[in-house]
Amino acid sequence: TALETAFKITRKTDGISAVERERLVADPGFGRAFTDHMAVITYTEGRGWHSPEILPRQPLMLDPAASVLHYAQEIFEGMKAYRAPDGGILLFRPEANARRFQKSAERMAMAQLPEDLFLEAVDQLVTIDQAWVPKPEVGTLYIRPFMIATEAALGVKPSAEFKFIVIACAAGEYFSSDAGAVSVWVEENSVRASRGGTGIAKCGGNYAASLTAQMEGKAHGCHQVLFLDAEERRWLEEMGGMNVMMVFEDGTLVTPPLDTGTILHGITRDSLLTLARDNGLTVKEERYAIDQLYADAAAGRLKEVFACGTAAVVTPIGTFKSGKGDCTIGDGRSTGPVTAKLRQTLCDIQFGRTNDPHDWVKRV
Ligand code: COI
């Protein structure tokens, strides 16, 4: 394409050895085993997006007054590349990430990156760093596109300059594998998002705001944190970087609705709702109260709860803990049958092991 030739490519020449890379890719953990290159596109007011490049991954040069460092004008995405059975590389609904990135940019008063430029940058990076895509038994290549405000200006105003950057890392499970079903701290004090706030945008500030709750959860022995709504501290919203879903004994799947504007429009969330409907489950996007969760779990009506996201995929939740006490889902350890089936169906499509009825998978 025209854009492809527009990317200036500078290959890394002094990278780690193939042997060292193989060792990293075989046991990558999450978010540390970074690939050799990065994609960068620059925005300047008046000129638009320009200078697309693939470069050896390297530290950024930023003016210490760059807006991102002071006023957090920053957004990001999370997506993955999957190794198909024939060795080829697949992306899952990448245009959904490109669209959501535009929505996040709009909320944060940042420049709109055209979808095709977003997709081309991801494609170019995955192509040049394809040796970093793990075997399917090990994991995936986690791709992190992001945009930062780079104008050196301390006035509080939208930046006139941005950099769009894509980095990637080989990735195994987000939660350490010995976790099994994870335990979740119900945060009753701080909130993640409120109506009219930035909860709907995938901006760094939302994640920074979740960290004290995450620390408190950890102090209570929990892997993750669940946030409640800001007004009543009653309704389930989302977790510290993933959505939440409940499965009831009558085969209904419930997840918090998006119309509050406080919940991230998860692509995994959306895909699972479609797959659940395909599988004959009744899907309800409706508010669900934390007291009800405790009551339904105790009465045996609530059978399974899981977290879902690009990084988390589908992770069963075994226990909730809060100031009000503990609540166990099922036996507190196992993956329930609906959770297991949805995870399997999603992963089979993502890794190209089955047909793809919704045309979600794109070959790189
Ligand atoms: C993702 O799931 O891709 C995220 O961006 C969330 C974070 C927990 C890694």
Side-chain angles (χ1 to χ4, degrees):
T1 67
L3 281 171
E4 203 169 330
T5 50
F7 269 81
K8 181 176 168 228
I9 296 175
T10 312
R11 280 181 183 273
K12 187 168 175 113
T13 50
D14 59 347
I16 59 170
S17 70
V19 174
E20 178 68 359
R21 186 188 61 229
E22 291 296 321
R23 201 186 56 77
L24 272 170
V25 172
D27 184 19
F30 185 89
R32 295 186 187 279
F34 295 108
T35 67
D36 291 326
H37 296 89
M38 63 190 201
V40 181
I41 314 178
T42 304
Y43 178 90
T44 312
E45 207 170 80
R47 191 174 166 197
W49 291 100
H50 61 89
S51 315
E53 278 195 86
I54 300 289
L55 297 164
R57 189 177 181 283
Q58 60 193 274
L60 302 174
M61 285 282 270
L62 280 180
D63 191 286
S67 310
V68 63
L69 301 176
H70 302 270
Y71 309 127
Q73 209 186 3
E74 188 272 355
I75 58 170
F76 68 96
E77 273 301 321
M79 55 202 291
K80 283 175 171 175
Y82 304 82
R83 181 78 68 188
D86 67 0
I89 295 168
L90 309 174
L91 296 172
F92 184 71
R93 305 184 70 184
E95 52 318 302
N97 293 96
R99 264 198 308 277
R100 186 171 66 185
F101 198 66
Q102 291 196 333
K103 291 268 179 246
S104 297
E106 198 182 321
R107 178 65 184 85
M108 303 303 286
M110 301 173 84
Q112 296 274 319
L113 179 72
E115 273 181 43
D116 56 355
L117 215 40
F118 178 103
L119 295 171
E120 187 61 28
V122 168
D123 218 80
Q124 293 267 348
L125 183 68
V126 172
T127 301
I128 199 165
D129 282 338
Q130 55 186 282
W132 288 86
V133 182
K135 293 191 177 78
E137 314 84 85
V138 172
T140 57
L141 185 77
Y142 184 78
I143 306 164
R144 172 53 61 89
F146 63 105
M147 195 202 309
I148 54 173
T150 52
E151 185 183 354
L154 293 184
V156 180
K157 57 143 196 122
S159 179
E161 291 163 21
F162 297 97
K163 283 217 187 284
F164 170 69
I165 304 175
V166 190
I167 55 171
C169 57
E173 295 282 332
Y174 186 71
F175 294 104
S176 61
S177 52
D178 60 328
V182 298
S183 54
V184 171
W185 175 249
V186 182
E187 175 60 30
E188 293 168 305
N189 300 311
S190 72
V191 295
R192 177 187 169 278
S194 58
R195 284 179 195 255
T198 58
I200 203 167
K202 203 161 175 63
C203 62
N206 290 341
Y207 295 77
S210 77
L211 295 177
T212 51
Q214 185 68 38
M215 273 167 62
E216 201 185 333
K218 199 171 172 194
H220 287 88
C222 293
H223 302 94
Q224 253 296 316
V225 54
L226 172 73
F227 289 100
L228 303 174
D229 75 292
E231 280 132 52
E232 297 180 67
R233 301 286 201 284
R234 177 176 174 208
W235 307 103
L236 272 65
E237 293 240 310
E238 72 174 84
M239 320 212 5
M242 49 206 74
N243 296 114
V244 63
M245 295 193 179
M246 280 71 59
V247 181
F248 294 86
E249 61 178 349
D250 65 354
T252 305
L253 184 121
V254 174
T255 196
L258 301 176
D259 58 12
T260 55
T262 54
I263 293 177
L264 191 84
H265 292 214
I267 295 161
T268 308
R269 175 191 182 280
D270 181 73
S271 307
L272 289 170
L273 295 184
T274 300
L275 295 176
R277 287 192 191 97
D278 290 355
N279 276 279
L281 296 175
T282 304
V283 170
K284 290 186 181 162
E285 292 177 72
E286 60 184 34
R287 300 231 275 179
Y288 185 63
I290 188 66
D291 289 349
Q292 194 67 47
L293 183 145
Y294 272 62
D296 287 342
R301 286 187 294 269
L302 176 58
K303 292 297 185 193
E304 305 174 32
V305 186
F306 60 87
C308 61
T310 297
V313 193
V314 172
T315 302
I317 297 171
T319 318
F320 287 92
K321 293 185 186 182
S322 78
K324 295 195 184 78
D326 292 6
C327 157
T328 306
I329 309 296
D331 65 7
R333 276 173 286 114
S334 325
T335 306
V338 176
T339 305
K341 167 87 175 161
L342 285 172
R343 182 180 167 113
Q344 191 66 46
T345 308
L346 178 68
C347 290
D348 282 347
I349 294 172
Q350 290 173 327
F351 284 95
R353 293 190 289 251
T354 184
N355 70 334
D356 172 21
H358 303 286
D359 195 22
W360 282 338
V361 167
K362 301 285 174 284
R363 200 163 267 266
V364 175

